[in-house]
Structure formats: C-alpha cells, structure tokens
Amino acid sequence: MSWGVYYRGADKGEAGKGDKSKKLEELSGVKQPVIARMEKGSISPQLDTILKVLAPLGKSLAVVPLETGSR
C-alpha cells in the first residue's frame, strides 16, 4: 500500500482536503504540493518528511515485526 492510503485513512471527517493540506503545511513545515503528492501516492517520501507530517496529526511511526501465517 502507498503512503497516501494510510494517510487518507487518518484524516476522515475533517475539513475539505485543500484546507487540511494547507493547515498541515503550516504545522509540519512540509510544502503543500509535497503533501498533495504524498496523498496521491505518487511519491515515496523520505522518512523525515513522513515524521514531520505525522507529528501534527498526533501520530507516530513504529517498526514492528511482520506477522507470518504459521510458526
């Protein structure tokens, strides 16, 4: 899945998409066109960019073991 799929799932029920990405630009310091490309899934953002966008959303990133079918 792309970043855009995960990000869109985190922001349901808020103001219009343009309003959200503009506000997120102000809060995160990541330019709105970059946020828009992240939402579309058309870029693979660097880790530091993802963290900058997640912080104002009250989200973090965790590295967890993959679950395998059977052990």
Side-chain angles (χ1 to χ4, degrees):
M1 288 187 171
S2 73
W3 155 262
V5 172
Y6 291 113
Y7 173 75
R8 282 192 298 273
D11 64 5
K12 291 181 181 175
E14 295 180 18
K17 194 174 202 175
D19 296 338
K20 287 185 287 189
S21 61
K22 189 63 178 168
K23 182 68 172 177
L24 194 52
E25 174 185 35
E26 295 170 11
L27 295 171
S28 69
V30 176
K31 297 292 184 186
Q32 190 277 330
V34 174
I35 294 170
R37 289 192 298 270
M38 291 171 71
E39 289 174 330
K40 289 180 188 174
S42 63
I43 62 169
S44 295
Q46 295 184 11
L47 182 57
D48 65 328
T49 304
I50 293 170
L51 295 173
K52 286 178 186 177
V53 171
L54 289 175
L57 297 172
K59 305 292 181 185
S60 64
L61 185 66
V63 177
V64 297
L66 291 174
E67 292 185 27
T68 57
S70 62
R71 291 189 179 230

Short mmCIF file of all heavy atoms in Angstrom, two decimals:
data_model
loop_
_atom_site.label_atom_id
_atom_site.label_comp_id
_atom_site.label_asym_id
_atom_site.label_seq_id
_atom_site.Cartn_x
_atom_site.Cartn_y
_atom_site.Cartn_z
N MET A 1 0.84 -1.19 0.00
CA MET A 1 0.00 0.00 0.00
C MET A 1 0.88 1.24 0.00
O MET A 1 1.95 1.25 0.56
CB MET A 1 -0.89 0.04 1.23
CG MET A 1 -1.99 -0.94 1.21
SD MET A 1 -3.07 -0.63 2.63
CE MET A 1 -4.35 -1.72 2.16
N SER A 2 0.37 2.28 -0.58
CA SER A 2 1.13 3.52 -0.63
C SER A 2 0.90 4.34 0.63
O SER A 2 -0.06 4.14 1.37
CB SER A 2 0.73 4.34 -1.85
OG SER A 2 -0.55 4.89 -1.67
N TRP A 3 1.79 5.31 0.85
CA TRP A 3 1.64 6.25 1.95
C TRP A 3 0.28 6.91 1.90
O TRP A 3 -0.38 7.09 2.91
CB TRP A 3 2.76 7.28 1.88
CG TRP A 3 2.40 8.57 2.54
CD1 TRP A 3 1.94 9.68 1.92
CD2 TRP A 3 2.41 8.86 3.92
NE1 TRP A 3 1.69 10.66 2.84
CE2 TRP A 3 1.96 10.19 4.07
CE3 TRP A 3 2.76 8.15 5.06
CZ2 TRP A 3 1.87 10.79 5.31
CZ3 TRP A 3 2.66 8.78 6.28
CH2 TRP A 3 2.22 10.07 6.40
N GLY A 4 -0.16 7.31 0.71
CA GLY A 4 -1.42 8.02 0.54
C GLY A 4 -2.60 7.25 1.13
O GLY A 4 -3.49 7.84 1.72
N VAL A 5 -2.60 5.95 0.97
CA VAL A 5 -3.69 5.14 1.51
C VAL A 5 -3.73 5.23 3.02
O VAL A 5 -4.77 5.44 3.62
CB VAL A 5 -3.54 3.66 1.06
CG1 VAL A 5 -4.54 2.78 1.77
CG2 VAL A 5 -3.70 3.56 -0.45
N TYR A 6 -2.59 5.12 3.67
CA TYR A 6 -2.54 5.21 5.13
C TYR A 6 -2.90 6.60 5.62
O TYR A 6 -3.65 6.77 6.55
CB TYR A 6 -1.15 4.84 5.65
CG TYR A 6 -0.83 3.39 5.49
CD1 TYR A 6 0.17 2.97 4.63
CD2 TYR A 6 -1.54 2.41 6.18
CE1 TYR A 6 0.46 1.63 4.48
CE2 TYR A 6 -1.26 1.08 6.04
CZ TYR A 6 -0.25 0.70 5.19
OH TYR A 6 0.03 -0.62 5.04
N TYR A 7 -2.36 7.61 4.97
CA TYR A 7 -2.61 8.98 5.40
C TYR A 7 -4.07 9.35 5.26
O TYR A 7 -4.66 9.91 6.15
CB TYR A 7 -1.73 9.94 4.58
CG TYR A 7 -2.05 11.38 4.84
CD1 TYR A 7 -1.66 11.98 6.01
CD2 TYR A 7 -2.78 12.13 3.92
CE1 TYR A 7 -1.97 13.30 6.28
CE2 TYR A 7 -3.08 13.44 4.18
CZ TYR A 7 -2.68 14.02 5.34
OH TYR A 7 -2.99 15.31 5.60
N ARG A 8 -4.68 9.02 4.13
CA ARG A 8 -6.10 9.35 3.92
C ARG A 8 -6.97 8.69 4.98
O ARG A 8 -7.94 9.25 5.41
CB ARG A 8 -6.53 8.96 2.51
CG ARG A 8 -6.07 9.95 1.47
CD ARG A 8 -6.76 9.70 0.15
NE ARG A 8 -6.45 8.39 -0.38
CZ ARG A 8 -5.39 8.10 -1.13
NH1 ARG A 8 -4.52 9.03 -1.42
NH2 ARG A 8 -5.20 6.88 -1.58
N GLY A 9 -6.61 7.51 5.40
CA GLY A 9 -7.39 6.84 6.42
C GLY A 9 -7.32 7.54 7.76
O GLY A 9 -8.21 7.39 8.59
N ALA A 10 -6.30 8.35 7.97
CA ALA A 10 -6.13 9.02 9.26
C ALA A 10 -6.88 10.33 9.37
O ALA A 10 -7.03 10.87 10.45
CB ALA A 10 -4.63 9.28 9.50
N ASP A 11 -7.38 10.85 8.26
CA ASP A 11 -7.94 12.20 8.32
C ASP A 11 -9.41 12.29 7.92
O ASP A 11 -9.89 13.33 7.55
CB ASP A 11 -7.11 13.17 7.47
CG ASP A 11 -7.14 12.82 5.99
OD1 ASP A 11 -7.88 11.91 5.60
OD2 ASP A 11 -6.41 13.47 5.24
N LYS A 12 -10.13 11.20 7.99
CA LYS A 12 -11.55 11.21 7.61
C LYS A 12 -12.36 12.09 8.55
O LYS A 12 -12.09 12.16 9.73
CB LYS A 12 -12.11 9.79 7.63
CG LYS A 12 -11.55 8.94 6.53
CD LYS A 12 -12.13 7.55 6.57
CE LYS A 12 -11.54 6.72 5.46
NZ LYS A 12 -11.97 5.35 5.49
N GLY A 13 -13.36 12.76 7.98
CA GLY A 13 -14.28 13.52 8.79
C GLY A 13 -13.83 14.94 9.11
O GLY A 13 -14.51 15.63 9.85
N GLU A 14 -12.72 15.38 8.56
CA GLU A 14 -12.26 16.74 8.83
C GLU A 14 -12.66 17.66 7.69
O GLU A 14 -13.40 17.28 6.81
CB GLU A 14 -10.74 16.74 9.03
CG GLU A 14 -10.33 15.95 10.26
CD GLU A 14 -8.83 15.94 10.46
OE1 GLU A 14 -8.15 16.79 9.88
OE2 GLU A 14 -8.36 15.08 11.19
N ALA A 15 -12.17 18.88 7.71
CA ALA A 15 -12.49 19.89 6.70
C ALA A 15 -12.07 19.43 5.31
O ALA A 15 -11.48 18.38 5.16
CB ALA A 15 -11.79 21.20 7.06
N GLY A 16 -12.35 20.24 4.28
CA GLY A 16 -12.01 19.90 2.91
C GLY A 16 -10.55 19.58 2.72
O GLY A 16 -9.70 20.06 3.45
N LYS A 17 -10.24 18.75 1.72
CA LYS A 17 -8.88 18.27 1.51
C LYS A 17 -7.88 19.41 1.36
O LYS A 17 -6.81 19.37 1.93
CB LYS A 17 -8.86 17.37 0.28
CG LYS A 17 -7.63 16.55 0.13
CD LYS A 17 -7.78 15.59 -1.03
CE LYS A 17 -6.83 14.43 -0.90
NZ LYS A 17 -7.03 13.44 -1.92
N GLY A 18 -8.20 20.43 0.57
CA GLY A 18 -7.30 21.55 0.38
C GLY A 18 -7.02 22.29 1.67
O GLY A 18 -5.90 22.69 1.95
N ASP A 19 -8.07 22.46 2.48
CA ASP A 19 -7.91 23.13 3.78
C ASP A 19 -6.98 22.33 4.69
O ASP A 19 -6.14 22.90 5.38
CB ASP A 19 -9.26 23.29 4.47
CG ASP A 19 -10.21 24.21 3.72
OD1 ASP A 19 -9.73 25.02 2.90
OD2 ASP A 19 -11.42 24.09 3.94
N LYS A 20 -7.14 21.02 4.68
CA LYS A 20 -6.32 20.17 5.55
C LYS A 20 -4.86 20.21 5.15
O LYS A 20 -4.00 20.33 6.01
CB LYS A 20 -6.82 18.72 5.50
CG LYS A 20 -8.12 18.50 6.24
CD LYS A 20 -8.47 17.05 6.24
CE LYS A 20 -8.93 16.69 4.83
NZ LYS A 20 -9.49 15.37 4.72
N SER A 21 -4.59 20.10 3.84
CA SER A 21 -3.19 20.07 3.43
C SER A 21 -2.52 21.43 3.64
O SER A 21 -1.34 21.50 3.95
CB SER A 21 -3.03 19.59 1.99
OG SER A 21 -3.69 20.43 1.10
N LYS A 22 -3.26 22.51 3.50
CA LYS A 22 -2.70 23.85 3.76
C LYS A 22 -2.38 24.00 5.25
O LYS A 22 -1.32 24.50 5.63
CB LYS A 22 -3.67 24.93 3.30
CG LYS A 22 -3.09 26.31 3.31
CD LYS A 22 -1.94 26.40 2.33
CE LYS A 22 -1.38 27.81 2.31
NZ LYS A 22 -0.11 27.87 1.59
N LYS A 23 -3.29 23.58 6.11
CA LYS A 23 -3.07 23.64 7.55
C LYS A 23 -1.91 22.74 7.95
O LYS A 23 -1.07 23.11 8.76
CB LYS A 23 -4.35 23.25 8.30
CG LYS A 23 -4.25 23.33 9.79
CD LYS A 23 -4.11 24.75 10.25
CE LYS A 23 -4.19 24.84 11.76
NZ LYS A 23 -4.00 26.20 12.23
N LEU A 24 -1.86 21.55 7.35
CA LEU A 24 -0.78 20.62 7.64
C LEU A 24 0.56 21.19 7.19
O LEU A 24 1.58 20.99 7.86
CB LEU A 24 -1.05 19.27 6.96
CG LEU A 24 -0.23 18.09 7.40
CD1 LEU A 24 -0.25 17.92 8.91
CD2 LEU A 24 -0.73 16.83 6.72
N GLU A 25 0.57 21.93 6.09
CA GLU A 25 1.79 22.61 5.65
C GLU A 25 2.27 23.57 6.73
O GLU A 25 3.45 23.60 7.08
CB GLU A 25 1.55 23.38 4.35
CG GLU A 25 2.74 24.21 3.91
CD GLU A 25 2.46 25.07 2.70
OE1 GLU A 25 1.32 25.58 2.55
OE2 GLU A 25 3.39 25.26 1.90
N GLU A 26 1.36 24.36 7.28
CA GLU A 26 1.71 25.33 8.32
C GLU A 26 2.25 24.63 9.56
O GLU A 26 3.23 25.08 10.17
CB GLU A 26 0.49 26.16 8.70
CG GLU A 26 -0.03 27.05 7.59
CD GLU A 26 -1.39 27.68 7.92
OE1 GLU A 26 -1.82 27.59 9.09
OE2 GLU A 26 -1.99 28.24 7.00
N LEU A 27 1.63 23.54 9.96
CA LEU A 27 2.00 22.85 11.18
C LEU A 27 3.27 22.02 11.05
O LEU A 27 4.04 21.90 12.00
CB LEU A 27 0.86 21.95 11.66
CG LEU A 27 -0.42 22.67 12.07
CD1 LEU A 27 -1.54 21.66 12.31
CD2 LEU A 27 -0.19 23.52 13.29
N SER A 28 3.48 21.43 9.87
CA SER A 28 4.59 20.50 9.69
C SER A 28 5.82 21.11 9.05
O SER A 28 6.93 20.58 9.21
CB SER A 28 4.14 19.31 8.84
OG SER A 28 3.91 19.72 7.50
N GLY A 29 5.64 22.19 8.29
CA GLY A 29 6.75 22.76 7.55
C GLY A 29 7.00 22.06 6.22
O GLY A 29 7.95 22.38 5.52
N VAL A 30 6.16 21.10 5.87
CA VAL A 30 6.26 20.39 4.59
C VAL A 30 5.34 21.10 3.61
O VAL A 30 4.17 21.33 3.91
CB VAL A 30 5.85 18.90 4.74
CG1 VAL A 30 5.87 18.20 3.40
CG2 VAL A 30 6.76 18.20 5.74
N LYS A 31 5.87 21.46 2.45
CA LYS A 31 5.11 22.24 1.47
C LYS A 31 3.87 21.48 1.00
O LYS A 31 3.89 20.26 0.85
CB LYS A 31 5.98 22.59 0.27
CG LYS A 31 7.16 23.46 0.61
CD LYS A 31 6.69 24.83 1.01
CE LYS A 31 7.87 25.76 1.26
NZ LYS A 31 7.45 27.04 1.79
N GLN A 32 2.79 22.23 0.75
CA GLN A 32 1.51 21.66 0.34
C GLN A 32 1.61 20.78 -0.91
O GLN A 32 1.01 19.71 -0.95
CB GLN A 32 0.47 22.77 0.17
CG GLN A 32 -0.95 22.27 -0.02
CD GLN A 32 -1.26 21.89 -1.46
OE1 GLN A 32 -0.69 22.45 -2.40
NE2 GLN A 32 -2.14 20.93 -1.63
N PRO A 33 2.38 21.18 -1.94
CA PRO A 33 2.47 20.30 -3.11
C PRO A 33 3.08 18.93 -2.78
O PRO A 33 2.68 17.92 -3.35
CB PRO A 33 3.37 21.08 -4.09
CG PRO A 33 3.21 22.50 -3.69
CD PRO A 33 3.04 22.47 -2.20
N VAL A 34 4.01 18.89 -1.84
CA VAL A 34 4.60 17.63 -1.41
C VAL A 34 3.55 16.80 -0.69
O VAL A 34 3.41 15.59 -0.92
CB VAL A 34 5.84 17.86 -0.52
CG1 VAL A 34 6.36 16.54 0.04
CG2 VAL A 34 6.92 18.59 -1.30
N ILE A 35 2.78 17.45 0.18
CA ILE A 35 1.71 16.75 0.91
C ILE A 35 0.69 16.20 -0.08
O ILE A 35 0.25 15.05 0.04
CB ILE A 35 1.04 17.69 1.93
CG1 ILE A 35 2.04 18.05 3.04
CG2 ILE A 35 -0.22 17.06 2.52
CD1 ILE A 35 1.59 19.15 3.97
N ALA A 36 0.35 16.98 -1.10
CA ALA A 36 -0.62 16.52 -2.10
C ALA A 36 -0.09 15.30 -2.84
O ALA A 36 -0.84 14.34 -3.08
CB ALA A 36 -0.93 17.65 -3.09
N ARG A 37 1.19 15.30 -3.19
CA ARG A 37 1.77 14.14 -3.88
C ARG A 37 1.82 12.93 -2.96
O ARG A 37 1.63 11.79 -3.39
CB ARG A 37 3.16 14.48 -4.43
CG ARG A 37 3.10 15.43 -5.61
CD ARG A 37 4.42 15.55 -6.34
NE ARG A 37 5.50 16.08 -5.52
CZ ARG A 37 5.82 17.37 -5.42
NH1 ARG A 37 5.13 18.28 -6.09
NH2 ARG A 37 6.82 17.75 -4.65
N MET A 38 2.04 13.16 -1.66
CA MET A 38 2.01 12.07 -0.69
C MET A 38 0.60 11.48 -0.61
O MET A 38 0.43 10.26 -0.56
CB MET A 38 2.47 12.55 0.68
CG MET A 38 3.94 12.90 0.75
SD MET A 38 4.43 13.71 2.29
CE MET A 38 4.29 12.37 3.46
N GLU A 39 -0.40 12.35 -0.59
CA GLU A 39 -1.79 11.89 -0.52
C GLU A 39 -2.16 11.05 -1.73
O GLU A 39 -2.90 10.07 -1.61
CB GLU A 39 -2.73 13.09 -0.42
CG GLU A 39 -2.68 13.80 0.90
CD GLU A 39 -3.51 15.06 0.94
OE1 GLU A 39 -3.68 15.72 -0.10
OE2 GLU A 39 -4.02 15.38 2.04
N LYS A 40 -1.67 11.46 -2.90
CA LYS A 40 -1.96 10.73 -4.15
C LYS A 40 -1.19 9.41 -4.22
O LYS A 40 -1.55 8.54 -5.00
CB LYS A 40 -1.58 11.57 -5.36
CG LYS A 40 -2.46 12.74 -5.61
CD LYS A 40 -1.97 13.47 -6.85
CE LYS A 40 -2.70 14.77 -7.05
NZ LYS A 40 -2.12 15.54 -8.17
N GLY A 41 -0.12 9.31 -3.47
CA GLY A 41 0.72 8.13 -3.55
C GLY A 41 1.66 8.17 -4.73
O GLY A 41 2.20 7.14 -5.14
N SER A 42 1.88 9.37 -5.29
CA SER A 42 2.72 9.49 -6.48
C SER A 42 4.20 9.66 -6.16
O SER A 42 5.02 9.69 -7.07
CB SER A 42 2.24 10.65 -7.35
OG SER A 42 2.36 11.88 -6.68
N ILE A 43 4.55 9.78 -4.88
CA ILE A 43 5.95 9.86 -4.47
C ILE A 43 6.19 8.90 -3.31
O ILE A 43 5.26 8.47 -2.64
CB ILE A 43 6.38 11.28 -4.05
CG1 ILE A 43 5.59 11.76 -2.83
CG2 ILE A 43 6.27 12.25 -5.20
CD1 ILE A 43 6.15 13.03 -2.20
N SER A 44 7.45 8.58 -3.11
CA SER A 44 7.87 7.81 -1.94
C SER A 44 8.63 8.77 -1.04
O SER A 44 9.82 9.02 -1.25
CB SER A 44 8.76 6.64 -2.35
OG SER A 44 8.05 5.72 -3.12
N PRO A 45 7.96 9.34 -0.05
CA PRO A 45 8.59 10.36 0.78
C PRO A 45 9.70 9.79 1.65
O PRO A 45 9.68 8.60 2.01
CB PRO A 45 7.46 10.89 1.64
CG PRO A 45 6.46 9.80 1.67
CD PRO A 45 6.59 9.07 0.37
N GLN A 46 10.66 10.65 1.99
CA GLN A 46 11.71 10.25 2.90
C GLN A 46 11.14 10.13 4.32
O GLN A 46 10.13 10.74 4.65
CB GLN A 46 12.85 11.27 2.88
CG GLN A 46 13.56 11.33 1.55
CD GLN A 46 14.74 12.28 1.58
OE1 GLN A 46 15.17 12.74 2.64
NE2 GLN A 46 15.27 12.55 0.41
N LEU A 47 11.81 9.36 5.12
CA LEU A 47 11.35 9.12 6.49
C LEU A 47 11.18 10.41 7.28
O LEU A 47 10.17 10.58 7.97
CB LEU A 47 12.31 8.17 7.21
CG LEU A 47 11.95 7.80 8.63
CD1 LEU A 47 10.57 7.17 8.70
CD2 LEU A 47 13.00 6.87 9.21
N ASP A 48 12.12 11.34 7.16
CA ASP A 48 12.00 12.58 7.93
C ASP A 48 10.78 13.38 7.50
O ASP A 48 10.13 14.04 8.32
CB ASP A 48 13.28 13.41 7.87
CG ASP A 48 13.61 13.92 6.48
OD1 ASP A 48 13.29 13.23 5.49
OD2 ASP A 48 14.20 15.01 6.38
N THR A 49 10.42 13.32 6.22
CA THR A 49 9.23 14.02 5.74
C THR A 49 7.97 13.39 6.33
O THR A 49 7.05 14.09 6.77
CB THR A 49 9.17 13.99 4.20
OG1 THR A 49 10.38 14.57 3.69
CG2 THR A 49 7.97 14.77 3.68
N ILE A 50 7.92 12.08 6.35
CA ILE A 50 6.77 11.37 6.93
C ILE A 50 6.61 11.75 8.40
O ILE A 50 5.52 12.05 8.86
CB ILE A 50 6.93 9.85 6.78
CG1 ILE A 50 6.87 9.45 5.30
CG2 ILE A 50 5.86 9.10 7.58
CD1 ILE A 50 7.24 8.02 5.03
N LEU A 51 7.72 11.77 9.13
CA LEU A 51 7.66 12.11 10.56
C LEU A 51 7.19 13.54 10.79
O LEU A 51 6.43 13.81 11.72
CB LEU A 51 9.01 11.86 11.22
CG LEU A 51 9.46 10.39 11.25
CD1 LEU A 51 10.89 10.29 11.78
CD2 LEU A 51 8.51 9.54 12.05
N LYS A 52 7.62 14.46 9.93
CA LYS A 52 7.19 15.85 10.05
C LYS A 52 5.68 15.98 9.84
O LYS A 52 5.03 16.81 10.48
CB LYS A 52 7.91 16.73 9.02
CG LYS A 52 9.34 17.00 9.34
CD LYS A 52 9.97 17.82 8.23
CE LYS A 52 11.45 18.00 8.44
NZ LYS A 52 12.08 18.73 7.32
N VAL A 53 5.14 15.20 8.92
CA VAL A 53 3.70 15.25 8.63
C VAL A 53 2.90 14.54 9.73
O VAL A 53 1.83 15.00 10.11
CB VAL A 53 3.40 14.64 7.24
CG1 VAL A 53 1.91 14.49 7.01
CG2 VAL A 53 4.03 15.50 6.14
N LEU A 54 3.41 13.46 10.25
CA LEU A 54 2.70 12.70 11.28
C LEU A 54 2.60 13.44 12.61
O LEU A 54 1.57 13.35 13.29
CB LEU A 54 3.36 11.35 11.50
CG LEU A 54 3.21 10.32 10.40
CD1 LEU A 54 4.03 9.07 10.72
CD2 LEU A 54 1.75 9.95 10.19
N ALA A 55 3.64 14.16 12.99
CA ALA A 55 3.69 14.80 14.31
C ALA A 55 2.49 15.71 14.59
O ALA A 55 1.83 15.56 15.62
CB ALA A 55 5.00 15.55 14.49
N PRO A 56 2.13 16.64 13.69
CA PRO A 56 0.97 17.50 13.99
C PRO A 56 -0.36 16.75 13.97
O PRO A 56 -1.35 17.24 14.49
CB PRO A 56 0.99 18.56 12.89
CG PRO A 56 2.16 18.33 12.05
CD PRO A 56 2.82 17.08 12.50
N LEU A 57 -0.37 15.56 13.39
CA LEU A 57 -1.58 14.73 13.39
C LEU A 57 -1.70 13.91 14.68
O LEU A 57 -2.66 13.18 14.86
CB LEU A 57 -1.58 13.78 12.18
CG LEU A 57 -1.61 14.44 10.81
CD1 LEU A 57 -1.40 13.39 9.72
CD2 LEU A 57 -2.92 15.17 10.60
N GLY A 58 -0.68 14.04 15.53
CA GLY A 58 -0.68 13.27 16.77
C GLY A 58 -0.40 11.80 16.52
O GLY A 58 -0.79 10.94 17.30
N LYS A 59 0.33 11.52 15.45
CA LYS A 59 0.64 10.14 15.07
C LYS A 59 2.14 9.93 15.12
O LYS A 59 2.92 10.87 15.09
CB LYS A 59 0.16 9.83 13.64
CG LYS A 59 -1.31 10.09 13.41
CD LYS A 59 -2.17 9.15 14.18
CE LYS A 59 -3.64 9.44 13.89
NZ LYS A 59 -4.54 8.64 14.69
N SER A 60 2.55 8.68 15.18
CA SER A 60 3.96 8.33 15.14
C SER A 60 4.13 7.14 14.20
O SER A 60 3.15 6.62 13.66
CB SER A 60 4.48 7.99 16.54
OG SER A 60 3.83 6.83 17.02
N LEU A 61 5.35 6.73 14.04
CA LEU A 61 5.66 5.61 13.17
C LEU A 61 6.35 4.56 14.01
O LEU A 61 7.25 4.88 14.80
CB LEU A 61 6.58 6.09 12.04
CG LEU A 61 6.94 5.09 10.97
CD1 LEU A 61 5.69 4.70 10.17
CD2 LEU A 61 7.98 5.68 10.04
N ALA A 62 5.95 3.32 13.88
CA ALA A 62 6.56 2.24 14.63
C ALA A 62 7.04 1.16 13.68
O ALA A 62 6.39 0.87 12.68
CB ALA A 62 5.55 1.64 15.61
N VAL A 63 8.16 0.57 14.01
CA VAL A 63 8.68 -0.57 13.27
C VAL A 63 8.31 -1.80 14.09
O VAL A 63 8.71 -1.92 15.25
CB VAL A 63 10.20 -0.47 13.07
CG1 VAL A 63 10.73 -1.69 12.35
CG2 VAL A 63 10.54 0.81 12.30
N VAL A 64 7.52 -2.67 13.49
CA VAL A 64 7.05 -3.86 14.20
C VAL A 64 7.35 -5.10 13.37
O VAL A 64 7.47 -5.02 12.15
CB VAL A 64 5.53 -3.77 14.48
CG1 VAL A 64 5.22 -2.60 15.41
CG2 VAL A 64 4.75 -3.65 13.21
N PRO A 65 7.46 -6.23 14.02
CA PRO A 65 7.72 -7.46 13.27
C PRO A 65 6.55 -7.78 12.34
O PRO A 65 5.40 -7.51 12.66
CB PRO A 65 7.84 -8.54 14.34
CG PRO A 65 7.94 -7.82 15.64
CD PRO A 65 7.39 -6.45 15.44
N LEU A 66 6.87 -8.33 11.19
CA LEU A 66 5.83 -8.80 10.28
C LEU A 66 5.21 -10.06 10.86
O LEU A 66 5.89 -10.90 11.44
CB LEU A 66 6.42 -9.14 8.90
CG LEU A 66 6.91 -7.97 8.09
CD1 LEU A 66 7.60 -8.49 6.82
CD2 LEU A 66 5.79 -7.05 7.72
N GLU A 67 3.91 -10.17 10.71
CA GLU A 67 3.24 -11.38 11.14
C GLU A 67 3.30 -12.39 10.02
O GLU A 67 3.02 -12.07 8.87
CB GLU A 67 1.78 -11.09 11.50
CG GLU A 67 1.64 -10.24 12.73
CD GLU A 67 0.20 -10.06 13.14
OE1 GLU A 67 -0.63 -10.95 12.84
OE2 GLU A 67 -0.10 -9.05 13.76
N THR A 68 3.69 -13.60 10.35
CA THR A 68 3.71 -14.64 9.34
C THR A 68 2.56 -15.59 9.59
O THR A 68 2.03 -15.67 10.70
CB THR A 68 5.05 -15.42 9.38
OG1 THR A 68 5.23 -15.96 10.69
CG2 THR A 68 6.21 -14.49 9.05
N GLY A 69 2.14 -16.28 8.56
CA GLY A 69 0.96 -17.17 8.63
C GLY A 69 1.02 -18.16 9.76
O GLY A 69 0.15 -18.23 10.62
N SER A 70 2.05 -19.00 9.82
CA SER A 70 2.14 -20.01 10.88
C SER A 70 3.56 -20.05 11.41
O SER A 70 4.52 -19.75 10.72
CB SER A 70 1.72 -21.38 10.35
OG SER A 70 2.61 -21.77 9.30
N ARG A 71 3.68 -20.48 12.65
CA ARG A 71 5.01 -20.57 13.27
C ARG A 71 5.29 -21.97 13.68
O ARG A 71 4.55 -22.71 14.12
CB ARG A 71 5.08 -19.64 14.48
CG ARG A 71 5.04 -18.22 14.04
CD ARG A 71 5.34 -17.33 15.22
NE ARG A 71 5.32 -15.97 14.74
CZ ARG A 71 6.26 -15.11 14.98
NH1 ARG A 71 7.30 -15.44 15.70
NH2 ARG A 71 6.19 -13.88 14.54
#
